[in-house]
Amino acid sequence: MKVLSMVLAGFVVGYAISDIGPFDSLLSSTAEFRSYWAIVNGLTVVAISACVASVALARASARTSIVVAIAALLVIVFRTVGMVTGLLGHWAGAVATGALLAAAAVLAGRQRAAQATLAVAALGAGLMGAALDALLEANDGPVFVWDVVGAEDDVSPQRAIVMVIVASVAAIALFLAHRNQVLQPHEPRKILLVGVPLPIAAGVLSWVAAGHESRSVEWLGALAGMTVLAVLAAFVLPGRDGRLLLALVAVSAAALGSFGFASGDGAQLALSVGLLIVGAGIGYRWPQLYVGLGGLLVIAVASVIEGYFEVPTGTEFALALVVAYVVVSALTTAPGSLALSLPALFTMTLPVTVYAASSQVASTYDRAVATRTTEPDHLVLSVAGLVVVAVVAAACTLLMRRPTVVSGTS
């Protein structure tokens, strides 16, 4: 039941993250990504909320964490069905998503199985949530729709149905599985020194990269800056807890030159999910962080080959397997470090990767189109990813020489 509760909670967190725009400002609804207002976006708020809430909840009781988790689930559902709209809805959804992640991480404690399921479910749903939406919307069958309060046009009935069902079951599972749980010693406040400034600094670098059209120098500078930030943050975290953060940065770097997970249709999406589960299972049974990092290096090299020779290498299929393996191999970690690290894959990389685009009206079509503005070409993207993976792997080797730290100490 504990593992099931983490799977469901992680799915809700990831699915909510997949619906949060990385470029949409929570301070100004009209701000474009090039505006400095865009630094305060939903993903940044998710990351900060998760870090702060994890430290606070680790000093409370398990029942408090359950109450916070269920309340966060309700808020996320209300936003999904359109009952909380506008900037208030965006703020509420981001804060609630971070609080749910924090509560789930605290309830997972240092149980490796619970941490692994939470991490894989959150990352998998976060990275493939858009593909799941597209698959649901492609269904031409009957759609059950209910009256909602607010901007009905902004509500996706399919997503709302999925979120209501999963969140309801997650709330029940969290209560049944953890109602008699006793929490471990509380987390050190030192985690806040990393978790609060890290997503803000990443937002600043993203904004800098986005403000220079298609010039690769600024983009690569921002990527280098984020790599340095991640390495420094990993060494500031207690003991070896920073290895998960480094593993996630390596994951994002390896994916820079690839096409992501295979999720073009239902079969490919199911294959990616299956590979995630298999990779997580292998990582749980035979955890070898260096093997996982080596797999990411192989994927990065394959992306370079694909960019130079224009030969498909199928990295989108291998990526899901290796991602789950390396992430699970980097566990266990302190709950606060887990809550801090998981959003990093979204806050520190997506805004300055191939997903960084601005919307502008096409001259020949009466519709908005996404245009690339800040990334280099595919070959440069692949080489940059390979370099970052190598740097992060070297940093992880140094980090693993440090002694472990028991939760509650710094």
Side-chain angles (χ1 to χ4, degrees):
M1 180 61 76
K2 288 184 177 181
V3 171
L4 176 62
S5 69
M6 291 298 108
V7 169
L8 295 170
F11 179 85
V12 174
V13 168
Y15 204 35
I17 285 177
S18 72
D19 196 37
I20 296 176
F23 319 124
D24 299 331
S25 172
L26 296 187
L27 297 178
S28 173
S29 59
T30 61
E32 296 181 356
F33 186 50
R34 297 180 187 179
S35 167
Y36 61 87
W37 295 112
I39 295 172
V40 183
N41 58 60
L43 294 179
T44 303
V45 174
V46 168
I48 296 176
S49 173
C51 177
V52 174
S54 66
V55 174
L57 291 175
R59 298 169 183 269
S61 64
R63 287 187 176 272
T64 301
S65 296
I66 294 173
V67 170
V68 170
I70 294 176
L73 284 166
L74 290 174
V75 172
I76 293 172
V77 167
F78 288 159
R79 176 182 180 272
T80 304
V81 300
M83 298 180 69
V84 184
T85 59
L87 286 180
L88 175 61
H90 295 318
W91 275 99
V95 172
T97 300
L100 175 59
L101 173 58
V106 169
L107 292 172
R110 284 184 174 269
Q111 298 179 21
R112 192 157 176 269
Q115 286 194 347
T117 51
L118 172 63
V120 174
L123 296 177
L127 293 171
M128 294 188 289
L132 178 59
D133 280 346
L135 184 64
L136 292 172
E137 292 173 359
N139 182 10
D140 295 328
V143 176
F144 300 95
V145 185
W146 55 87
D147 293 333
V148 295
V149 178
E152 290 86 351
D153 292 339
D154 294 335
V155 176
S156 169
Q158 296 90 338
R159 169 178 278 267
I161 292 171
V162 170
M163 192 65 83
V164 168
I165 294 175
V166 175
S168 300
V169 180
I172 297 172
L174 285 167
F175 175 76
L176 293 177
H178 304 280
R179 64 187 185 279
N180 297 322
Q181 182 173 333
V182 178
L183 297 182
Q184 298 296 320
H186 52 244
E187 295 295 313
R189 292 189 180 94
K190 188 177 183 180
I191 292 176
L192 296 175
L193 296 177
V194 176
V196 175
L198 185 63
I200 298 176
V204 172
L205 289 173
S206 302
W207 169 58
V208 170
H212 291 87
E213 296 299 331
S214 58
R215 294 170 59 186
S216 299
V217 174
E218 286 77 9
W219 191 95
L220 294 173
L223 180 63
M226 288 190 180
T227 304
V228 172
L229 282 175
V231 172
L232 292 177
F235 279 90
V236 172
L237 289 174
R240 301 177 181 178
D241 286 348
R243 61 188 175 183
L244 179 60
L245 177 61
L246 291 178
L248 290 170
V249 172
V251 164
S252 61
L256 284 179
S258 71
F259 293 101
F261 293 162
S263 55
D265 53 32
Q268 290 183 345
L269 183 62
L271 177 59
S272 291
V273 172
L275 290 174
L276 275 174
I277 296 174
V278 171
I282 298 174
Y284 183 78
R285 183 64 179 84
W286 295 287
Q288 294 293 333
L289 182 57
Y290 297 127
V291 173
L293 292 173
L296 293 178
L297 279 171
V298 171
I299 290 176
V301 171
S303 297
V304 173
I305 295 174
E306 185 175 16
Y308 186 78
F309 294 103
E310 297 183 356
V311 177
T313 58
T315 55
E316 64 271 21
F317 294 98
L319 187 60
L321 179 72
V322 178
V323 164
Y325 179 84
V326 72
V327 168
V328 174
S329 295
L331 299 170
T332 61
T333 184
S337 299
L338 177 63
L340 176 158
S341 300
L342 289 182
L345 185 62
F346 307 98
T347 58
M348 296 193 66
T349 55
L350 287 185
V352 291
T353 62
V354 292
Y355 301 101
S358 63
S359 295
Q360 60 179 315
V361 178
S363 58
T364 57
Y365 300 98
D366 186 19
R367 60 182 176 87
V369 295
T371 58
R372 295 182 176 182
T373 58
T374 60
E375 83 272 12
D377 59 41
H378 186 270
L379 180 58
V380 175
L381 204 65
S382 303
V383 173
L386 175 60
V387 172
V388 173
V389 173
V391 170
V392 170
C396 199
T397 302
L398 295 176
L399 181 65
M400 292 296 287
R401 296 180 181 178
R402 299 171 67 174
T404 57
V405 174
V406 179
S407 181
T409 64
S410 60

